[in-house]
Amino acid sequence: PTFDTAPLRNNDNTTDRDASRFDPLESEAQTQPARLTWRVTNPFRLFTDPAITDLHRDAFNALSADEKATPVIAVERRLAQAFRRGWAAKAVGKTCWRPRAHRYGGCRRDNPYIRPRHHRVTVTLEDPPEPDAMCNWSFRGKGARRGEKDWKRCGEPVEFKAPYPGGGTARVTLPNGDRKSIRIAVTDTFVVGIGDSFGSGDGNPDVPAKFSDARDWSYGEAPGERALFGYPTRAGSWATFADTDFLRNGPRWLGRACRRSLYSYQTRVALQLAIEDPHRAVTFAHFACGGAEIPQGMFVKYKGNEWVPSPPRVPQISAVAEAQCGETRTPQTNYPDAYTIQGKLPVLRDMVLKKCPRKRARGIDLLLVSIGGNDIGFAKLVANAVLANQSALARLSGWAGGVYGPEDARPLIEELPVRYKALNRALHGLLHVPWKQSDRIILTGYPPMAVVDDAGRVCPDGRAGMSVFPDYSMNAKRVRDGEKVAEQLNTVMRRAARRYNWSFVDAHRRKFIGRGLCADGNPVLDSASFDEVSPDDVRMPRLVDGRWQPYPPSAYRAYASRQRWFRTPNDAYLTGHYHTRRTIARRILSASKLQWFQLILASSYSGAFHPTAEGHAAMADAVMPTARRVLDKYRR
């Protein structure tokens, strides 16, 4: 899509540009000398197709001054209008991430991803006196192709390969013999994202599941002989969940095992940094993984939330170290007690971790971190708040991890500062973040999930947004208890950041008030035209007497702009629609539980209780001022 950047028309049907016709200084303006400008052609290097970056850059350039105060969410909303299934679907398979090897690289043989040798730049002659005449262009620089020249119309942009980091000079000779030149030096910024599901983007697959209006599915009976029939299901002529058609129409991710998404706030921060500075390129490496904790995930290898043939090979600390080494081998070392913090974290004894030698390691300009929620078992607190007493799901602790209350989280909150201390030691000691530049580490707080107003009131009792399975039921008292724990977690995170001189961002927490799980806007009640179904309709479509009620599955838009910024279980079912293989489920469940438990997975394991793409965009906008400040401070 294209975005209109033309000036608004005035009352006399002229534009600000039209007004130049009446300007007595018009002839003087037209004789102003032409000048050269340049920009990085594809500044977000993760995308192999510059057109994907251009979507975001064009949308950003079309924003009003007010919208640019929060550019990420403004761009997200514009692209959501342009792409029914979300913009990220256009980027699938067009990135420098290699999922089987779990590494970044291999985009272009002559230009490594982590340590680029050059960048493509676009040079433009602004206001040429003869736009259709031919101009002679050349580029010179250390490492540039000798005698790189081009003849093009003076009004057309020219692309050159600028060596990195040396850069070079672009020159143009105009038809009248005048010559102009401009110095080109690209700033390449290395941004790394690590952490948990709030960092990975869980709940927001790059391609959401595709549903059919022509068929439905039954999940048998829930405990208590409650029939589970008439559910939306994926498109295709499949017969079982393992069939090709079923899998083809399922969700797709940048990193499936970790539910790593292009909608993640970490990705959006890196992308926004790339598109807002024409002379900057961003090399982004994303390793956050859903379900990760500081010990299990950062230090110890963790396979992620999904069972895939090629799960992550190393913990996130080692994955970042491999990225820093680029194309060269990364040695590993045993650390018997370095991260146990005087024996307080015995789980971190005898760690075998990779470390790129300092002289070969690429320095990290920004390290975006989201971690701590799983360390205190926050998912179990959520389960406690949204599951009915004696729920069948609550008893399936072998899979879901069980449920517990605030009193169970207290000792884990008390241990969390020690875990942050171990992490801090690793970020400096293994990833070479300079101790005097600790503010390059940006820790992001978790947004409130169910706070409805500034008075601190939370979502009421009820099943709004949770009708997909009968055992879901919001309990206001338990929700309130959970939010109190979340406040305690945020306090611990802020104190840890202050202690270790990290940057800490939680400005977005206030933005999420009134946009949690129970924010339903004004749902359309049984509209005659399903195109009018509100994105804020929290109800679950079901096939009743041969008719989809209250709307057909195809009317649901995973990335439409809406009031709520958290995925409800209903949303999760219609977005991620996770189903596991029968053989895996049987390891934990008996055959009688198998069918209805697939429904549980499809509505919870698909990213329920995680921010939507808009929510991630809001988080990114909160991080951006800090990211800009840090880069400006170190001139990156």
Side-chain angles (χ1 to χ4, degrees):
T2 58
F3 299 92
D4 185 11
T5 57
L8 295 176
R9 291 198 167 270
N10 301 318
N11 292 334
D12 60 357
N13 204 34
T14 66
T15 68
D16 294 335
R17 293 175 187 168
D18 295 329
S20 64
R21 272 181 279 173
F22 314 110
D23 191 341
L25 301 178
E26 177 190 15
S27 58
E28 181 181 341
Q30 288 183 346
T31 59
Q32 289 180 354
R35 60 190 178 87
L36 290 176
T37 61
W38 68 275
R39 64 175 177 83
V40 181
T41 304
N42 185 27
F44 193 58
R45 300 184 61 244
L46 178 65
F47 294 151
T48 58
D49 184 356
I52 302 169
T53 307
D54 288 342
L55 282 175
H56 292 264
R57 180 159 47 192
D58 292 346
F60 172 69
N61 289 336
L63 298 180
S64 67
D66 288 342
E67 288 176 314
K68 285 188 176 180
T70 52
V72 184
I73 197 167
V75 167
E76 176 59 36
R77 286 169 174 166
R78 289 189 176 223
L79 294 180
Q81 291 178 341
F83 297 98
R84 185 176 180 83
R85 287 172 61 77
W87 62 266
K90 301 293 182 183
V92 171
K94 298 177 182 178
T95 70
C96 291
W97 171 250
R98 298 293 168 258
R100 291 186 179 180
H102 289 276
R103 293 177 65 93
Y104 287 91
C107 297
R108 296 181 183 275
R109 292 182 180 179
D110 65 336
N111 199 30
Y113 181 67
I114 296 297
R115 292 184 175 276
R117 300 191 183 108
H118 62 260
H119 299 87
R120 303 297 299 189
V121 297
T122 300
V123 185
T124 303
L125 180 64
E126 303 288 351
D127 303 316
E130 301 177 72
D132 293 329
M134 301 302 291
C135 281
N136 182 231
W137 295 83
S138 66
F139 185 89
R140 291 184 180 180
K142 185 177 180 180
R145 289 185 301 179
R146 188 172 183 178
E148 186 175 2
K149 296 182 179 181
D150 200 359
W151 283 91
K152 274 199 171 184
R153 296 184 188 278
C154 299
E156 295 180 3
V158 180
E159 190 174 285
F160 291 111
K161 185 186 292 185
Y164 182 77
T169 301
R171 293 182 173 87
V172 61
T173 302
L174 279 66
N176 62 4
D178 287 351
R179 294 181 179 179
K180 298 185 179 298
S181 64
I182 190 168
R183 175 65 184 170
I184 293 175
V186 176
T187 298
D188 194 286
T189 303
F190 188 32
V191 180
V192 176
I194 58 175
D196 54 23
S197 56
F198 278 66
S200 73
D202 195 2
N204 302 283
D206 301 328
V207 181
K210 184 178 181 180
F211 287 86
S212 170
D213 290 343
R215 64 181 302 185
D216 65 313
W217 193 256
S218 172
Y219 289 93
E221 290 184 349
E225 299 182 353
R226 293 166 292 183
L228 304 171
F229 64 89
Y231 281 85
T233 196
R234 298 184 195 178
S237 57
W238 51 270
T240 72
F241 298 150
D243 288 358
T244 301
D245 261 9
F246 186 84
L247 299 175
R248 181 188 297 119
N249 289 299
R252 297 178 66 182
W253 303 85
L254 178 68
R256 180 182 161 193
C258 290
R259 310 279 181 80
R260 202 174 295 132
S261 166
L262 293 174
Y263 291 105
S264 158
Y265 88 87
Q266 296 182 345
T267 307
R268 298 308 296 274
V269 167
L271 178 53
Q272 180 61 32
L273 289 170
I275 63 176
E276 69 181 22
D277 184 341
H279 299 163
R280 176 191 285 141
V282 171
T283 299
F284 177 58
H286 194 196
F287 297 104
C289 194
E293 304 176 15
I294 292 176
Q296 191 77 17
M298 304 298 258
F299 287 92
V300 181
K301 183 172 70 173
Y302 171 68
K303 295 184 177 181
N305 274 335
E306 287 205 29
W307 292 264
V308 296
S310 54
R313 299 173 295 101
V314 295
Q316 291 183 46
I317 295 292
S318 293
V320 176
E322 286 182 337
Q324 289 180 289
C325 264
E327 305 295 315
T328 61
R329 181 178 173 275
T330 312
Q332 62 182 23
T333 305
N334 178 261
Y335 299 90
D337 295 300
Y339 300 104
T340 63
I341 313 299
Q342 291 80 46
K344 295 177 182 177
L345 296 175
V347 68
L348 298 185
R349 182 167 285 116
D350 291 321
M351 287 287 96
V352 177
L353 296 164
K354 294 194 173 187
K355 177 180 179 179
C356 187
R358 186 179 297 273
K359 291 183 179 180
R360 286 197 281 130
R362 176 163 187 186
I364 298 172
D365 295 306
L366 287 178
L367 184 59
L368 308 177
V369 184
S370 171
I371 201 73
N374 292 323
D375 292 80
I376 69 163
F378 198 74
K380 300 176 183 179
L381 290 168
V382 173
N384 182 58
V386 302
L387 295 172
N389 290 331
Q390 305 301 315
S391 162
L393 178 56
R395 293 196 300 268
L396 292 173
S397 58
W399 189 292
V403 297
Y404 62 37
E407 65 282 356
D408 299 299
R410 189 170 298 112
L412 298 177
I413 291 176
E414 293 172 355
E415 183 184 90
L416 188 56
V418 181
R419 295 189 176 198
Y420 280 130
K421 185 174 184 178
L423 179 62
N424 182 62
R425 186 173 294 181
L427 298 183
H428 291 293
L430 297 178
L431 303 186
H432 307 298
V433 177
W435 287 94
K436 292 184 178 181
Q437 299 179 12
S438 295
D439 53 348
R440 291 186 185 272
I441 303 166
I442 304 179
L443 181 65
T444 304
Y446 297 91
M449 192 178 300
V451 178
V452 299
D453 58 27
D454 291 337
R457 289 182 293 185
V458 299
C459 294
D461 292 352
R463 301 187 62 228
M466 302 183 180
S467 57
V468 62
F469 190 76
D471 279 345
Y472 289 127
S473 182
M474 186 87 73
N475 182 293
K477 181 182 181 306
R478 293 175 182 174
V479 169
R480 192 178 303 109
D481 290 342
E483 290 292 354
K484 289 179 181 178
V485 173
E487 285 288 350
Q488 295 171 15
L489 170 61
N490 199 61
T491 298
V492 171
M493 296 174 74
R494 186 187 301 109
R495 288 174 178 171
R498 187 184 303 118
R499 179 175 183 179
Y500 302 120
N501 297 313
W502 301 347
S503 299
F504 182 62
V505 174
D506 66 349
H508 55 285
R509 284 178 56 81
R510 183 174 181 81
K511 298 287 187 180
F512 272 78
I513 293 175
R515 292 185 174 274
L517 290 170
C518 55
D520 60 358
N522 297 301
V524 171
L525 299 177
D526 204 11
S527 172
S529 171
F530 290 120
D531 290 336
E532 299 174 12
V533 172
S534 167
D536 281 306
D537 194 327
V538 298
R539 295 172 296 174
M540 181 73 188
R542 298 281 289 273
L543 190 66
V544 180
D545 296 329
R547 182 174 181 269
W548 287 105
Q549 298 179 5
Y551 57 86
S554 62
Y556 179 82
R557 294 181 59 186
Y559 296 113
S561 180
R562 47 175 52 90
Q563 177 69 18
R564 65 185 178 280
W565 286 352
F566 266 93
R567 296 283 184 208
T568 67
N570 291 1
D571 290 333
Y573 182 97
L574 294 168
T575 302
H577 203 242
Y578 174 76
H579 285 65
T580 189
R581 295 179 182 177
R582 184 178 297 267
T583 53
I584 295 173
R586 284 191 186 282
R587 297 177 188 175
I588 299 174
L589 305 168
S590 65
S592 62
K593 296 178 181 177
L594 187 58
Q595 285 197 68
W596 63 261
F597 194 68
Q598 291 283 17
L599 178 57
I600 287 290
L601 294 178
S603 58
S604 61
Y605 238 53
S606 294
F609 316 113
H610 287 79
T612 64
E614 277 186 297
H616 275 279
M619 293 171 68
D621 277 326
V623 173
M624 282 303 301
T626 300
R628 294 187 190 106
R629 175 183 55 76
V630 171
L631 293 180
D632 287 345
K633 178 180 178 180
Y634 300 110
R635 297 184 180 180
R636 293 298 295 178

